[in-house]
Amino acid sequence: MPVIPVNTPNAKYDVTIAANLLPTLNVRLKRLNSAKPFRPFVITSPGIWALWSKQFLASFKQSPTILFLPSGESHKRLSSVESLAQQLSNAGADRDSLLLAFGGGVIGDITGFLAAIYMRGIRYVQIPTTLLAQVDSSIGGKTGVNLAAGKNLIGSFYHPQAVFADTGVLATLPPAELRAGLQESIKAGIIYDAKLFRYMEQNAEAILNTKKKADPKALTHVVAASVRVKANVVGKDEKESGLRMILNFGHTIGHAIEAATNYRQLLHGEAVAWGSIAALSVAIARNAISEKDANRIANLILRYGPLSPFKATAEKLVALTARDKKNRSGIRSFVLPTAIGKVEIVRNVTEPELLAATQSMLALMRRKSQ
Amino acid sequence: MPVIPVNTPNAKYDVTIAANLLPTLNVRLKRLNSAKPFRPFVITSPGIWALWSKQFLASFKQSPTILFLPSGESHKRLSSVESLAQQLSNAGADRDSLLLAFGGGVIGDITGFLAAIYMRGIRYVQIPTTLLAQVDSSIGGKTGVNLAAGKNLIGSFYHPQAVFADTGVLATLPPAELRAGLQESIKAGIIYDAKLFRYMEQNAEAILNTKKKADPKALTHVVAASVRVKANVVGKDEKESGLRMILNFGHTIGHAIEAATNYRQLLHGEAVAWGSIAALSVAIARNAISEKDANRIANLILRYGPLSPFKATAEKLVALTARDKKNRSGIRSFVLPTAIGKVEIVRNVTEPELLAATQSMLALMRRKSQ
């Protein structure tokens, strides 16, 4: 059973990855908190709870209080945080309460933020149920919500006590979500892990489970390798002053796409995949990457598609990047791929360059969706 | 010019107290941030800005962007935070922005929280304009907002870069607010500083400025002594695991009074003053304090009145204390005065005791308002 440690100056915790973790949950929580009493509160979505509540509750003598948040990025707002906080307070939650985030990225980001600010900070644990959440958003302590003005503009760095990723839960994930999540694993390969990249090239069928036969081994391998990349990067740069920025590969244009489509039309992984193709175009135009590596990257991203198309002009998308959180005093940081497993952070990408790259990405999209 | 250092494991900054600080503000901000560029944004209330904008802006070549929040506890909610964050984003605020909290406790608490969560944390400076904010809320890094369920249930520990308390600004403070703020200084005396307590006994006229002649020296002395108490306590226990709880003297019933009156009828200092009298009653009933000290405490609190009366039953108030943030796993912490300058934290105050003490406080209120 892969157990991957996350070590930052502010937190030290494990990500445990296995196919049948849920039924042992309470035992693990008790071990984590043996020195301090806790009262558990679950934050989950009605859909996930309907499918997995039995396994989730198997190890609890008494059911924790369950609070529901509807699915979807549109609920990732301060109003949801306020409503959940009010429910926690009504249910008597105090500083000895422990929040359990049981769901996808939205549930994890909101629950982490709620834990960060409820009574100025209580404990929480991540139990991610989507591939995207298991390989990316549940690890590293970034929590938060969206503003109308942009994604994740409000939030905290606040680490969970532990992450329990049950890969068995992925069996009920819609295929499109699985593919979108795998785009984040591809990203991990592109930015940091050439071996993971090659594994995904060579084992696409087993990972994507195209023959309708479960191959939990291939998927667990990809999840564990992706988590290792994220844990490594976050351990070296917790607060995104340097290295951690590489995790934002594909996110400059990716976030703009999500904003342009009101966070509804595309899955996050799909938006990042299109954003990665745009970032790749910048690198190609600069001759920063070999043709061979560029082709391998584009091919792998498309291999794990199809990626949903969307409608937005390049001008609109580039304009939306001006609000990127990564900008400092108006200077844009951009993650440029230079080889498989290697990227560079540059601060001199101009608007015309970004525009040309975005246009080239949109042209590819039009070709693919004909 | 008193400069009082605050030293905690997570932050180190100065509280500067003087009568004419505003006109030198920008120079001080630049000195603080000489290594890092910043773009200032002011969060203030229309009332304060109308009175003091000229002095505030005197040292700025270019006016910072000004964002307004209406006065009053009813605006200390997540919806205000969201609106301000949206305005920041629209104005192009990024991670190099610096928020300046220019106002009373509500402005300070909201701005600090906004700084804590905007883009997961940006810099801010406190420029408190009420006595309460100068001696208490601007120091120590507690930030946050209210829920319908209770005061400060949402928030962060997040320290400012500096606090600049211009005691000259107190000249335009309504007399009732000055008196309410002085209740927090009395609290500082009761819990930690017998000398400050005696100074306030012996110099009430000069401090309260009853002869309509300004005596900034007496007031500056009280502000500095109160800040020293808070800085000392916070330095020894940043996150309220032990000693810092003594700052909550009078707050158990005080918060309940504010909740029962919808945070509108009483000033915070008045509610805490009534709460202090209730806490004193618990101590008297337990024989935990001498009659002489108890009388001195009650007399000093009333000397800096009159305290506004309010309508609420003892039962209602005690019921409201059950939601106190200081409770852990249902156990109530209570700050008991045992002598001038000395308190004890106890965890065995029963509901009947609290009820009797609250009734005795309400009886005193009825006698006083006849």
Side-chain angles (χ1 to χ4, degrees):
Chain A
M1 185 185 301
V3 176
I4 297 160
V6 180
N7 277 305
T8 79
N10 290 309
K12 192 176 151 62
Y13 56 97
D14 287 333
V15 184
T16 306
I17 301 154
N20 198 22
L21 277 176
L22 285 186
T24 62
L25 191 58
N26 198 27
V27 184
R28 293 171 190 277
L29 295 177
K30 282 186 173 161
R31 208 179 299 146
L32 270 175
N33 294 284
S34 55
K36 259 175 104 184
F38 70 93
R39 185 178 155 203
F41 288 81
V42 182
I43 319 258
T44 188
S45 71
I48 281 294
W49 196 245
L51 289 167
W52 294 99
S53 61
K54 209 178 142 188
Q55 278 88 333
F56 189 101
L57 292 173
S59 56
F60 289 89
K61 267 190 204 162
Q62 228 188 331
S63 172
T65 304
I66 319 291
L67 305 181
F68 291 103
L69 184 75
S71 292
E73 190 80 23
S74 65
H75 296 282
K76 197 175 148 180
R77 296 299 294 264
L78 271 180
S79 54
S80 304
V81 174
E82 179 157 47
S83 158
L84 288 168
Q86 184 69 46
Q87 291 173 63
L88 280 179
S89 177
N90 293 347
D94 66 15
R95 284 178 176 150
D96 282 339
S97 300
L98 171 68
L99 303 190
L100 306 174
F102 186 46
V106 172
I107 293 280
D109 285 5
I110 285 206
T111 303
F113 185 53
L114 181 60
I117 66 174
Y118 186 73
M119 294 189 171
R120 299 199 185 92
I122 60 175
R123 289 167 281 177
Y124 81 111
V125 164
Q126 293 275 19
I127 306 147
T129 60
T130 65
L131 185 58
L132 178 62
Q134 292 189 353
V135 301
D136 185 30
S137 58
S138 68
I139 305 142
K142 277 195 182 180
T143 73
V145 296
N146 303 326
L147 286 180
K151 214 170 138 67
N152 295 321
L153 285 178
I154 290 287
S156 289
F157 285 100
Y158 196 68
H159 291 279
Q161 283 195 306
V163 182
F164 298 113
D166 188 333
T167 48
V169 175
L170 303 176
T172 55
L173 205 61
E177 273 197 49
L178 186 76
R179 288 196 304 269
L182 287 167
Q183 294 291 347
E184 288 282 346
S185 295
I186 295 175
K187 185 197 80 177
I190 296 171
I191 63 172
Y192 205 77
D193 187 349
K195 262 170 101 176
L196 167 60
F197 189 94
R198 190 170 311 115
Y199 184 89
M200 292 188 76
E201 285 182 319
Q202 292 170 346
N203 297 278
E205 275 204 359
I207 296 165
L208 284 165
N209 187 19
T210 36
K211 288 178 182 159
K212 303 264 168 193
K213 267 198 202 159
D215 186 355
K217 256 199 272 174
L219 204 50
T220 301
H221 178 92
V222 169
V223 171
S226 311
V227 166
R228 221 167 268 126
V229 170
K230 177 110 190 212
N232 253 303
V233 171
V234 168
K236 285 177 185 155
D237 172 30
E238 184 178 19
K239 296 216 170 163
E240 200 170 331
S241 46
L243 183 67
R244 186 164 178 167
M245 281 187 195
I246 71 172
L247 297 172
N248 290 316
F249 174 65
H251 283 60
T252 303
I253 293 294
H255 281 165
I257 293 170
E258 289 186 292
T261 54
N262 294 315
Y263 303 102
R264 276 187 204 135
Q265 214 176 314
L266 269 71
L267 293 164
H268 177 66
E270 293 181 308
V272 170
W274 286 124
S276 301
I277 288 175
L280 186 61
S281 297
V282 173
I284 293 169
R286 285 189 169 205
N287 278 322
I289 190 167
S290 73
E291 204 186 318
K292 189 183 146 225
D293 281 356
N295 285 337
R296 280 179 68 195
I297 290 175
N299 287 339
L300 193 66
I301 290 172
L302 297 171
R303 173 71 185 88
Y304 282 77
L307 303 173
S308 310
F310 61 90
K311 282 207 164 72
T313 65
E315 288 75 12
K316 169 95 188 265
L317 294 175
V318 172
L320 281 166
T321 64
R323 284 209 193 114
D324 200 293
K325 273 203 310 302
K326 295 184 292 301
N327 301 342
R328 291 192 86 119
S329 298
I331 295 164
R332 215 188 290 269
S333 294
F334 195 88
V335 187
L336 209 63
T338 53
I340 307 288
K342 238 181 128 226
V343 290
E344 241 177 54
I345 296 165
V346 293
R347 290 195 172 75
N348 58 358
V349 171
T350 62
E351 244 179 62
E353 265 185 292
L354 212 49
L355 198 63
T358 306
Q359 277 161 344
S360 133
M361 176 267 288
L362 291 173
L364 174 70
M365 183 199 301
R366 278 191 296 274
R367 285 200 303 279
K368 286 282 153 195
S369 54
Q370 265 163 8
Chain B
M1 186 184 300
V3 177
I4 296 160
V6 180
N7 276 305
T8 78
N10 290 310
K12 191 175 152 63
Y13 55 97
D14 287 334
V15 184
T16 305
I17 301 155
N20 199 22
L21 277 177
L22 285 186
T24 61
L25 192 57
N26 198 28
V27 183
R28 294 171 189 276
L29 294 177
K30 282 185 171 161
R31 206 178 301 146
L32 269 176
N33 293 285
S34 55
K36 260 176 103 183
F38 69 92
R39 186 179 154 201
F41 288 81
V42 182
I43 319 256
T44 188
S45 70
I48 281 294
W49 196 244
L51 290 167
W52 294 98
S53 61
K54 209 179 143 189
Q55 277 89 333
F56 189 101
L57 292 173
S59 56
F60 288 89
K61 267 190 204 162
Q62 227 189 331
S63 172
T65 304
I66 319 290
L67 305 181
F68 291 104
L69 184 76
S71 292
E73 191 79 23
S74 66
H75 296 283
K76 196 175 150 180
R77 296 298 294 264
L78 272 180
S79 54
S80 303
V81 174
E82 179 157 47
S83 158
L84 289 167
Q86 184 69 46
Q87 290 173 63
L88 281 179
S89 177
N90 292 346
D94 66 15
R95 283 179 176 148
D96 282 340
S97 301
L98 171 69
L99 303 190
L100 306 175
F102 186 46
V106 172
I107 292 280
D109 285 4
I110 285 206
T111 303
F113 186 52
L114 180 60
I117 66 173
Y118 186 72
M119 295 192 171
R120 299 200 185 92
I122 60 174
R123 289 167 281 176
Y124 80 111
V125 164
Q126 293 275 18
I127 306 147
T129 59
T130 65
L131 184 59
L132 179 61
Q134 292 189 353
V135 300
D136 185 29
S137 58
S138 67
I139 305 142
K142 277 195 182 182
T143 73
V145 296
N146 303 327
L147 286 180
K151 214 170 138 66
N152 294 321
L153 284 178
I154 291 288
S156 289
F157 286 100
Y158 196 68
H159 292 279
Q161 282 196 306
V163 182
F164 298 113
D166 187 333
T167 49
V169 175
L170 302 176
T172 55
L173 206 61
E177 272 197 51
L178 186 76
R179 289 196 303 269
L182 287 166
Q183 294 291 346
E184 289 281 346
S185 295
I186 295 175
K187 186 197 80 176
I190 296 171
I191 63 172
Y192 205 78
D193 187 349
K195 261 170 100 175
L196 167 60
F197 190 95
R198 190 171 311 115
Y199 184 89
M200 292 189 76
E201 285 181 321
Q202 291 169 349
N203 297 279
E205 274 204 0
I207 296 165
L208 283 166
N209 186 20
T210 37
K211 288 177 183 159
K212 304 262 166 193
K213 267 198 201 158
D215 185 355
K217 255 199 272 174
L219 204 50
T220 301
H221 178 93
V222 169
V223 172
S226 311
V227 166
R228 221 167 268 125
V229 170
K230 177 111 188 209
N232 253 303
V233 171
V234 168
K236 286 179 185 156
D237 172 30
E238 184 178 19
K239 295 215 170 165
E240 201 170 330
S241 46
L243 182 67
R244 186 163 177 168
M245 280 187 197
I246 71 172
L247 297 172
N248 291 315
F249 174 64
H251 283 60
T252 302
I253 292 295
H255 281 164
I257 293 170
E258 289 185 294
T261 54
N262 293 315
Y263 303 101
R264 276 188 204 133
Q265 214 175 315
L266 269 71
L267 294 164
H268 177 66
E270 293 181 309
V272 170
W274 286 123
S276 301
I277 288 174
L280 185 62
S281 297
V282 173
I284 293 169
R286 284 188 172 205
N287 278 321
I289 189 166
S290 73
E291 203 185 319
K292 188 181 147 228
D293 281 357
N295 284 338
R296 280 179 69 195
I297 290 175
N299 287 338
L300 192 66
I301 290 173
L302 296 171
R303 172 72 186 85
Y304 282 77
L307 303 172
S308 309
F310 61 91
K311 281 207 162 73
T313 64
E315 288 75 12
K316 169 95 187 265
L317 293 175
V318 172
L320 282 166
T321 65
R323 284 209 193 112
D324 200 293
K325 273 204 308 304
K326 296 184 291 302
N327 301 342
R328 291 192 86 120
S329 299
I331 294 164
R332 215 188 289 267
S333 294
F334 195 88
V335 187
L336 208 62
T338 54
I340 308 287
K342 238 181 128 226
V343 290
E344 240 175 57
I345 296 164
V346 293
R347 290 193 173 75
N348 59 357
V349 172
T350 63
E351 244 181 63
E353 265 184 292
L354 213 49
L355 198 63
T358 306
Q359 276 161 345
S360 133
M361 176 267 288
L362 291 173
L364 174 70
M365 182 199 302
R366 278 190 297 273
R367 284 201 303 280
K368 286 281 153 196
S369 54
Q370 263 163 10

